[in-house]
Amino acid sequence: MTIQALVLPGEELSKDILPVPLDSSHPLKLGPGLRHVPPSTITPTVAGLLFIDQKKRAIWVENNSGRYIPQVNDVVVATVHHSSTDVFHCAITPQTPFAQLPHLAFEGVSKKTRPQLSSGSLVYARVTSASKHMDPEITCCNPSTGKSDGMGELKEGMVFDVGLGFARRLLLAKQREEGGLVILEEIAEKIPFEVAVGRNGKVWVNSKGVKEILLVGKALQEADKHGLNIEEQKKLVRRLFKSI
């Protein structure tokens, strides 16, 4: 994965920087912050850093500000607002319409065993449908296997807000190599904890006590706010753990 350049909304991306070859059998995957204008023009919709993954033939714009726009396959931390006959209506961000989460979109449930989620309950879910003309839809299980794949209700813990770009880096498979992040790795050497990172800039954290949860959340938010490099992240973790 490489950072190509700083881009601005509306400017056309040069075909020279796009993953090649461009053909129907290996389509280019456009991520957040980009728009396809037929027949072959690609323009940014936000200002930020352009990222390119040649192996996955994917391209997207990292933008730490602005509002989250749901994209299919994004994982999100959502809050249940209310329930209707067949779906939970969940808030992903204050700006987007409520996402619809079917009562049966959980592993191993039936109409008799559907989850009882009250207002304020948290769920870790994946976006299955996103359109400017319809409310987004989310699920807490893999439609192909019926398994949860780590999704479902998030019990206890606390939610912390981080920038959208930072959230995407936390979701990378190789956080150190591709995202320049070691913050979670360093904390895991000190205390056990659980974390669920949403592409919508929400991070759920749970640990053995409130003090530990707050420490993890504070570490993430400081690393994000100050743009800390790897060595600075290590120093931050050592400093925070001296206080407990």
Side-chain angles (χ1 to χ4, degrees):
M1 184 178 69
T2 59
I3 300 175
Q4 190 66 37
L6 177 67
V7 294
L8 299 173
E11 66 178 19
E12 182 177 345
L13 298 185
S14 170
K15 292 182 176 59
D16 295 336
I17 66 174
L18 300 179
V20 292
L22 292 174
D23 59 64
S24 58
S25 61
H26 297 87
L28 181 64
K29 299 176 183 177
L30 296 187
L34 292 172
R35 178 176 59 189
H36 173 232
V37 180
S40 59
T41 300
I42 298 174
T43 61
T45 57
V46 296
L49 292 175
L50 181 69
F51 278 75
I52 297 175
D53 190 324
Q54 295 285 352
K55 291 183 179 179
K56 296 181 180 179
R57 295 187 45 73
I59 184 170
W60 67 92
V61 176
E62 290 281 14
N63 184 304
N64 226 28
S65 61
R67 63 188 182 94
Y68 169 70
I69 300 174
Q71 303 281 333
V72 173
N73 288 326
D74 279 357
V75 286
V76 295
V77 175
T79 304
V80 175
H81 184 270
H82 65 279
S83 177
S84 57
T85 305
D86 296 312
V87 300
F88 297 107
H89 300 268
C90 304
I92 298 177
T93 72
Q95 299 84 17
T96 56
F98 291 134
Q100 297 187 11
L101 171 61
H103 289 171
L104 301 182
F106 294 80
E107 180 179 354
V109 303
S110 65
K111 289 185 177 180
K112 292 184 178 180
T113 62
R114 66 180 66 183
Q116 302 298 315
L117 301 180
S118 58
S119 176
S121 296
L122 297 172
V123 293
Y124 195 44
R126 186 177 299 278
V127 178
T128 56
S129 175
S131 166
K132 63 174 64 177
H133 305 296
M134 298 178 63
D135 293 345
E137 296 180 10
I138 57 178
T139 181
C140 286
C141 67
N142 186 322
S144 301
T145 64
K147 301 297 183 181
S148 67
D149 290 348
M151 295 177 287
E153 183 181 5
L154 299 172
K155 299 179 180 180
E156 302 179 337
M158 299 181 186
V159 174
F160 299 87
D161 292 324
V162 298
L164 301 184
F166 191 77
R168 176 174 280 276
R169 291 165 63 197
L170 287 171
L171 286 165
L172 293 171
K174 298 179 179 179
Q175 291 183 21
R176 178 190 289 262
E177 295 84 355
E178 299 180 353
L181 292 176
V182 296
I183 192 78
L184 294 180
E185 179 184 319
E186 291 293 310
I187 297 174
E189 294 180 0
K190 307 286 187 181
I191 57 170
F193 68 94
E194 298 175 273
V195 64
V197 181
R199 188 64 186 84
N200 55 331
K202 306 288 184 182
V203 181
W204 171 84
V205 179
N206 195 22
S207 189
K208 58 185 179 180
V210 173
K211 185 181 293 186
E212 288 79 10
I213 294 173
L214 291 172
L215 185 147
V216 177
K218 182 177 181 180
L220 291 172
Q221 289 181 327
E222 286 200 22
D224 177 28
K225 179 180 179 180
H226 300 293
L228 303 184
N229 60 34
I230 288 179
E231 287 304 315
E232 290 170 335
Q233 292 170 44
K234 292 180 178 180
K235 291 179 181 178
L236 171 63
V237 172
R238 289 196 295 267
R239 174 171 62 82
L240 291 176
F241 272 92
K242 286 182 180 179
S243 64
I244 64 171

